[in-house]
Amino acid sequence: MKNVKAIFRLIGLYFRLNLSSAMEYRGSFLLQAFGMALSNGSFVFFWWIAFQQIKGTIGGYDFRDVMFIWAAASSAYGASHILFANMNAITRLIATGELDTFLVQPKDTLINLLCARTSLSAWGDLAYGFILMALTHGRDAAAWGMFLLAIVIGGLLMTAISVSAHTFTFYFGDASLVGNMAMEFTINFCIYPEGIYRGFVRVVMLSLIPTSFIVHIPLKLARNFSPLWLVILLAVSALYCCLAYCFFYRGLKRYESGNLIITRM
Amino acid sequence: MSAIHVENLSKVYRTRIKEEGLKASFKALFKPVYKEVQAVDDISFTVEQGEILAFIGPNGAGKSTTIKMLTGILHPTSGRISVLGLDPAEERKKLSYRIGTVFGQKSQLWFHLPPIDSFVLLGAIYDVDKKTLNKRISELTELFELGDILQTPVRKLSLGQRIRCEVAASLLHEPDILFLDEPTIGLDVVVKQSIRQLILRMNRERGTTIFLTSHDAGDVEQICKRAVVIDQGRIILDQPIKNLKYHYLNRKIIAVRFEYPQHLEVPEGVKLEKSTDISARLSVDTRICTIDSAMRWLIAQGGVADITVENPPMEEIIASIFRHKEGRIQ
Amino acid sequence: MKAFRKYWTILRISLQNAFVYRSNVLGGLVFFLIFMFVFFNLWRAIYQSGEVAGYSLVQMVWYLCMTELIMFGCRTGIFSQMNEDVKSGSIAYQLNRPYHYVWYQFFNALGGMVFNLLIYGLMAVIMAMIMVGPIPGFNFATLPLSLISMMLAMFINFFFLMALGLTAFRLEENTAFYLIYQKLVFMLGMFIPVEFLPGWLQAITRYLPFPYMTWAPARLIVAFSWELFWSVVPVQLLWFGLSVILSMAIYRHGVAGIQAHGG
């Protein structure tokens, strides 16, 4: 328990430091956040056109459903990249040896390194989700509850997915392409109704890249609450995060044994 | 109890060899080719508490690998390490509270923020309570003359100021041992000098044990009492600095350029290594001829346009160590 | 003739360069694949729920493959290149070279564009064939005409991006324009055929360059007609000319500023 408290304290400290670092460049910060929100906005336009064309549902979702998953995905992405922006830089940190700095510090290496950087535009993503929710769901308490839950769970799952993908660097050398692909798949699975995908991809979305647990199941719960699905959601998310955590530390063992330096000939 | 004790330490890297090109990359995915590299080869040494030890050798000699094993980043292939009575590979976290590290150019300071913010973060990471931390910061501020620097964003600091903060940052949790991996690499003479003084002062005032790697003989001469020379993973010399200085660090290289052609008649202790009409490279044996008198003699020749004085490169020192050893065996 | 040889050499060298630096091609192909796969799934779902005006699913998938191809084909980093050249001041060193900077950049990027078009084009055709099969009634004889329209579309996009990059002469933060521009391209033709837009927006869009960068060639590929060809290609030529003139004007204006004030 003391351990958990220490971790939260560390995350909080990094957050404060990151924020004051961002404030050194206020103009650029606001512009980036605004640009990101604007850029997300164009997707709303697409969905509006699409639903105008066909008066019905797409992949089993209506316009409000799509807006919910968009809001949840955007805010989860934003929150995770405000706190753990280094999730996309793990390969680089390993390659440049910056990882060593975290290894000689007495705190949890993974959490310590994840927190050490923030993303400015992520604030735009976070805010965008809230705006979209306010516009499309007003005072729908169930939807807001699930939206907030999805930010926490989704943010952690996105981080875990990225960490797992980048961990392959410990095994095969430069895994930045794997990392970028994993993130791209995660986003693209998250922002469309799960019904548009079939067969194998649906299995992937429930296992390897568990995007269904980031937005689609929270939406299901917001529309039709079921305690069973809530328990499944929490359990699977916790399991996935633990697996990613262990996978990283298993890879780190290889780093410590020094079997990973790649020489080019 | 000794601060660091190392016995028969070896490290073998098993490196994947990868050839350029897509086809080779693809092949390597299924049938990786490995090559073994002996980075550290059966070394043993001891560092006493309060000692300053320099670990010197050319690039790729195994210095960094050794320091990484001593701090627990890398695990040894074989051999035994004890740092403050702990095994770094097994008890890295426990050890980390008691050691400080400065890795060459890898900064622990936040570039856009004043150092004080980084200090507070590091204080939290090392579980230093607020009161102790503040006391510690003011002590270090005085010792390292940090003053206003603490409130200035790191990006606006000069390199020398930045390094001072960097060293201070690694001392916040009052470590018993400070590891410095190439602390003076890429710095100019003045900054190098101030770092050396810092290290000395810290050692005197707090009795901090210092383990320093360097490929610069100058670091060693000025601050260490003992030096270990490593080459190709093996210790080739472990002696008090006095001996080392007398036998191997007894030469300086002077490169000089004249405004008009000069014919040089070198005094005793000075050797002409290379020369043209208007320039020369001289090797000075400081046991016989001091730098001061060598310079006086040069200036007296007249028409000096440019002078640089430097230490002979590490490779030369190592070569002379080997020569000396062989001579003794014969 | 001499000038032609000069720019031809620039093009040839940049093409060779594109073939040597293949490292990011693999990444590009992977992302092309991901996007197409997702779009295919999305539109398949949309078509299951109802009919969409003027396009069959096969046509829609080919349409998206083509617009995506044009966008990937234009990935030469011209905007950031201009931005950097202007902000770092290295553009000043190119003033006294014996070529026109704007044309130099164009032919320098052309090699990359041709390379991209070949690689991603192959990918696009293979993917579309696997996902939905050939376009019914496709006439190979008209393909060269559609390709002309496609090249024009890429040139228009290229010169507008260049003009946007060159605004760095005057504006410190021009990245916002770039973002807005990209989203307009995205909404007005690339992701959504112009026919799908509401009437009032279609009317406005007809007078903007965006549909001529994506919609026009893609529509020609999936449903060629001479009538359409003669109604879009002259407009494309017009926009091509305008975009070149715009780039030149901003460039001249900026350079005049440098010469007068020393940057």
Side-chain angles (χ1 to χ4, degrees):
Chain A
M1 212 51 221
K2 207 180 136 207
N3 239 333
V4 176
K5 225 177 110 187
I7 285 175
F8 274 109
R9 190 163 158 246
L10 188 68
I11 294 175
L13 253 160
Y14 268 117
F15 174 74
R16 281 223 315 271
L17 219 58
N18 272 319
L19 196 61
S20 44
S21 191
M23 281 307 147
E24 287 280 311
Y25 294 91
R26 245 164 266 127
S28 167
F29 170 62
L30 286 174
L31 199 79
Q32 282 199 44
F34 177 74
M36 200 40 76
L38 181 95
S39 161
N40 292 345
S42 60
F43 278 92
V44 178
F45 178 78
F46 167 78
W47 284 109
W48 178 66
I49 297 284
F51 279 103
Q52 291 257 308
Q53 283 285 323
I54 55 142
K55 315 258 184 260
T57 59
I58 295 173
Y61 282 29
D62 64 20
F63 185 68
R64 272 179 88 236
D65 294 338
V66 174
M67 289 303 108
F68 178 89
I69 57 168
W70 242 102
S74 178
S75 287
Y77 182 92
S80 60
H81 281 75
I82 288 169
L83 293 174
F84 312 125
N86 258 346
M87 72 169 89
N88 298 318
I90 297 174
T91 294
R92 186 175 53 77
L93 293 177
I94 297 168
T96 59
E98 275 175 77
L99 180 63
D100 294 351
T101 321
F102 300 105
L103 281 173
V104 294
Q105 291 180 346
K107 288 282 176 283
D108 187 288
T109 309
L110 179 59
I111 308 232
N112 198 350
L113 86 87
L114 282 176
C115 293
R117 204 166 57 93
T118 192
S119 153
L120 297 184
S121 58
W123 285 93
D125 292 309
L126 179 71
Y128 181 73
F130 279 87
I131 296 169
L132 213 53
M133 277 302 285
L135 290 176
T136 56
H137 285 80
R139 290 185 193 170
D140 183 344
W144 275 100
M146 282 304 139
F147 168 70
L148 295 175
L149 183 69
I151 296 179
V152 177
I153 289 181
L156 287 173
L157 282 176
M158 284 178 181
T159 311
I161 292 168
S162 190
V163 167
S164 312
H166 280 281
T167 293
F168 282 107
T169 298
F170 288 129
Y171 293 89
F172 304 111
D174 189 352
S176 49
L177 184 62
V178 181
N180 294 343
M181 270 170 63
M183 213 58 216
E184 199 61 40
F185 269 121
T186 304
I187 293 166
N188 275 303
F189 288 161
C190 276
I191 59 177
Y192 299 104
E194 61 183 337
I196 73 166
Y197 300 106
R198 287 179 191 170
F200 177 66
V201 179
R202 287 287 281 276
V203 176
V204 171
M205 289 168 71
L206 286 165
S207 55
L208 210 54
I209 306 179
T211 43
S212 290
F213 294 92
I214 298 178
V215 288
H216 302 115
I217 292 174
L219 173 72
K220 204 179 282 179
L221 285 169
R223 301 292 183 247
N224 272 313
F225 185 79
S226 118
L228 177 66
W229 272 105
L230 183 65
V231 171
I232 293 176
L233 172 65
L234 294 173
V236 171
S237 305
L239 180 68
Y240 190 89
C241 290
C242 284
L243 286 176
Y245 186 87
C246 295
F247 185 44
F248 176 84
Y249 276 96
R250 235 194 103 215
L252 192 62
K253 282 235 161 62
R254 290 178 66 92
Y255 181 80
E256 290 164 340
S257 64
N259 284 345
L260 124 129
I261 303 157
I262 291 175
T263 20
R264 289 192 169 263
M265 293 190 67
Chain B
M1 194 185 69
S2 52
I4 301 174
H5 186 71
V6 171
E7 255 173 61
N8 308 103
L9 180 65
S10 287
K11 177 76 205 172
V12 179
Y13 287 123
R14 203 158 138 251
T15 308
R16 262 173 68 193
I17 303 170
K18 198 175 154 195
E19 283 161 58
E20 278 295 351
L22 197 65
K23 213 175 115 192
S25 303
F26 202 69
K27 227 169 63 191
L29 202 60
F30 297 102
K31 233 181 101 191
V33 188
Y34 291 102
K35 189 179 86 179
E36 293 203 334
V37 180
Q38 183 96 34
V40 171
D41 190 359
D42 191 22
I43 62 170
S44 306
F45 62 89
T46 304
V47 184
E48 296 305 326
Q49 257 165 15
E51 199 182 355
I52 303 183
L53 178 88
F55 211 66
I56 57 177
N59 290 328
K63 293 175 308 224
S64 284
T65 306
T66 306
I67 216 170
K68 280 181 184 171
M69 286 194 280
L70 293 178
T71 51
I73 294 171
L74 285 178
H75 296 178
T77 310
S78 66
R80 238 175 53 80
I81 306 176
S82 159
V83 179
L84 298 167
L86 300 169
D87 176 356
E90 295 299 321
E91 300 161 288
R92 182 174 66 214
K93 193 170 162 187
K94 212 167 153 195
L95 179 65
S96 68
Y97 285 107
R98 300 181 58 192
I99 60 171
T101 43
V102 177
F103 284 114
Q105 285 161 325
K106 268 170 240 152
S107 180
Q108 6 183 12
L109 303 173
W110 288 52
F111 192 61
H112 297 297
L113 296 176
I116 184 76
D117 290 341
S118 302
F119 286 7
V120 172
L121 176 75
L122 285 166
I125 286 176
Y126 284 95
D127 297 317
V128 183
D129 64 77
K130 261 203 182 117
K131 229 176 88 192
T132 319
L133 182 69
N134 286 338
K135 197 173 133 241
R136 193 76 189 131
I137 290 176
S138 58
E139 276 172 23
L140 287 166
T141 308
E142 200 179 321
L143 189 63
F144 291 178
E145 292 155 22
L146 298 178
D148 305 339
I149 299 174
L150 275 187
Q151 314 295 338
T152 317
V154 172
R155 64 172 190 280
K156 289 181 185 154
L157 297 181
S158 74
L159 196 54
Q161 293 170 327
R162 207 177 292 177
I163 301 283
R164 257 149 66 200
C165 291
E166 202 75 59
V167 178
S170 61
L171 293 172
L172 287 167
H173 56 290
E174 299 196 65
D176 298 322
I177 307 180
L178 182 64
F179 289 94
L180 297 140
D181 194 8
E182 304 272 359
T184 59
I185 199 166
L187 302 178
D188 65 50
V189 186
V190 180
V191 179
K192 265 185 193 170
Q193 196 54 37
S194 82
I195 297 290
R196 288 169 191 156
Q197 270 162 5
L198 270 190
I199 295 172
L200 263 182
R201 205 182 300 170
M202 230 163 50
N203 171 259
R204 273 189 208 132
E205 305 221 342
R206 309 214 62 101
T208 312
T209 310
I210 287 162
F211 187 96
L212 153 109
T213 71
S214 180
H215 67 277
D216 183 348
D219 284 339
V220 185
E221 266 189 282
Q222 298 190 4
I223 55 173
C224 299
K225 296 185 185 77
R226 201 176 118 219
V228 171
V229 182
I230 180 169
D231 183 51
Q232 296 184 345
R234 292 204 192 103
I235 291 179
I236 58 169
L237 197 82
D238 180 351
Q239 283 183 1
I241 202 76
K242 251 195 239 156
N243 295 1
L244 188 76
K245 226 168 173 172
Y246 186 77
H247 290 296
Y248 310 109
L249 299 175
N250 48 21
R251 285 188 319 128
K252 292 270 175 188
I253 305 293
I254 299 182
V256 60
R257 194 163 57 77
F258 299 102
E259 279 171 1
Y260 42 82
Q262 278 281 15
H263 180 70
L264 296 175
E265 291 281 344
V266 293
E268 210 199 340
V270 180
K271 216 173 88 195
L272 191 63
E273 291 207 326
K274 237 194 251 172
S275 69
T276 66
D277 278 355
I278 57 156
S279 69
R281 198 175 132 87
L282 306 159
S283 156
V284 181
D285 189 334
T286 47
R287 287 171 300 184
I288 304 167
C289 175
T290 61
I291 286 295
D292 183 63
S293 54
M295 296 293 264
R296 278 173 206 276
W297 162 74
L298 259 179
I299 300 291
Q301 307 295 306
V304 172
D306 190 12
I307 288 191
T308 53
V309 182
E310 54 195 28
N311 290 307
M314 202 60 221
E315 286 73 11
E316 259 179 49
I317 295 173
I318 284 171
S320 71
I321 289 174
F322 277 125
R323 268 202 306 278
H324 192 89
K325 271 190 174 171
E326 278 162 21
R328 234 185 346 207
I329 291 162
Q330 284 163 5
Chain C
M1 202 51 219
K2 240 177 154 175
F4 177 75
R5 228 188 64 208
K6 176 158 43 189
Y7 290 115
W8 170 248
T9 312
I10 296 170
L11 166 64
R12 223 187 51 224
I13 288 178
S14 78
L15 189 60
Q16 281 169 4
N17 198 40
F19 271 97
V20 175
Y21 290 95
R22 295 155 305 186
S23 56
N24 52 4
V25 170
L26 183 67
L29 284 177
V30 167
F31 285 109
F32 191 90
L33 208 130
I34 296 178
F35 290 144
M36 281 323 304
F37 176 73
V38 171
F39 289 163
F40 168 59
N41 278 286
L42 174 64
W43 283 98
R44 190 177 55 187
I46 293 177
Y47 272 84
Q48 262 167 8
S49 315
E51 263 313 302
V52 183
Y55 287 80
S56 66
L57 178 61
V58 179
Q59 281 178 318
M60 195 61 218
V61 169
W62 276 93
Y63 179 94
L64 290 167
C65 273
M66 290 305 123
T67 57
E68 197 70 14
L69 169 61
I70 293 168
M71 282 302 122
F72 272 77
C74 287
R75 290 219 308 195
T76 60
I78 188 67
F79 172 79
S80 45
Q81 164 105 49
M82 293 291 95
N83 227 342
E84 247 177 69
D85 272 11
V86 172
K87 281 180 181 163
S88 70
S90 73
I91 201 165
Y93 297 105
Q94 310 220 23
L95 292 181
N96 56 359
R97 299 262 171 87
Y99 50 65
H100 195 291
Y101 179 78
V102 169
W103 288 114
Y104 170 78
Q105 289 298 348
F106 174 68
F107 283 97
N108 194 25
L110 196 54
M113 286 200 264
V114 171
F115 176 78
N116 287 347
L117 207 56
L118 290 175
I119 294 292
Y120 295 121
L122 190 68
M123 185 81 169
V125 171
I126 291 173
M127 284 206 70
M129 291 302 279
I130 291 172
M131 290 187 296
V132 291
I135 307 167
F138 185 76
N139 183 358
F140 273 96
T142 61
L143 185 62
L145 296 166
S146 307
L147 286 179
I148 289 173
S149 172
M150 194 176 271
M151 281 317 271
L152 278 172
M154 287 170 74
F155 295 166
I156 299 170
N157 187 25
F158 177 86
F159 277 101
F160 272 112
L161 282 174
M162 182 184 240
L164 274 174
L166 287 169
T167 57
F169 274 121
R170 274 300 166 85
L171 301 161
E172 264 300 304
E173 266 303 339
N174 54 356
T175 321
F177 291 116
Y178 176 69
L179 273 180
I180 295 171
Y181 174 86
Q182 290 292 36
K183 294 305 146 189
L184 285 171
V185 173
F186 176 89
M187 288 186 285
L188 304 177
M190 187 196 137
F191 205 14
I192 316 167
V194 177
E195 292 89 341
F196 290 12
L197 301 175
W200 58 272
L201 193 57
Q202 273 192 50
I204 301 171
T205 306
R206 286 228 321 261
Y207 296 99
L208 296 174
F210 304 107
Y212 299 98
M213 298 175 192
T214 51
W215 167 81
R219 177 79 194 164
L220 278 174
I221 296 262
V222 300
F224 186 89
S225 78
W226 283 104
E227 198 188 2
L228 183 69
F229 181 80
W230 289 118
S231 72
V232 296
V233 169
V235 187
Q236 282 190 303
L237 282 170
L238 191 74
W239 277 115
F240 178 45
L242 279 173
S243 61
V244 172
I245 292 169
L246 185 69
S247 297
M248 292 276 187
I250 297 176
Y251 173 74
R252 283 220 183 103
H253 188 76
V255 167
I258 290 183
Q259 282 163 344
H261 311 111

